[in-house]
Amino acid sequence: MVKIKGIGLAVFSFALYIIGGLGTFGGLALILLMKNKDLWGWGEGRAIGYLFFCVGLCLSILAVLLMRIFRNRGFS
């Protein structure tokens, strides 16, 4: 049972890491390419890009910390 729970937590951490990376690089693309352009009525592209960039970095850092905790606590 612990092994199944550990695999699920590892998959969750890895998925969070992938989503964070996509958000980070998507945010960089929006910052560089969407200057002074409206993004689907949500706001200026650069502002949304900064949001995606910061949230993506936070998710990536969280995923790395979770992976380290799960490995050191014996969940893997």
Side-chain angles (χ1 to χ4, degrees), residues 2-71:
V2 173
K3 193 70 165 174
I4 294 172
K5 183 178 179 182
I7 294 293
L9 293 172
V11 168
F12 174 72
S13 296
F14 193 63
L16 205 61
Y17 187 69
I18 296 294
I19 292 169
L22 289 174
T24 299
F25 288 109
L28 282 175
L30 286 174
I31 290 168
L32 295 175
L33 300 175
M34 297 294 287
K35 190 175 187 179
N36 296 327
K37 293 181 184 175
D38 189 46
L39 186 67
W40 304 311
W42 292 357
E44 187 190 3
R46 282 182 68 186
I48 304 292
Y50 284 120
L51 175 70
F52 282 3
F53 181 75
C54 293
V55 170
L57 281 178
C58 289
L59 286 177
S60 293
I61 291 168
L62 175 68
V64 169
L65 289 173
L66 286 175
M67 283 188 261
R68 296 287 302 206
I69 289 170
F70 296 151
R71 181 172 182 198

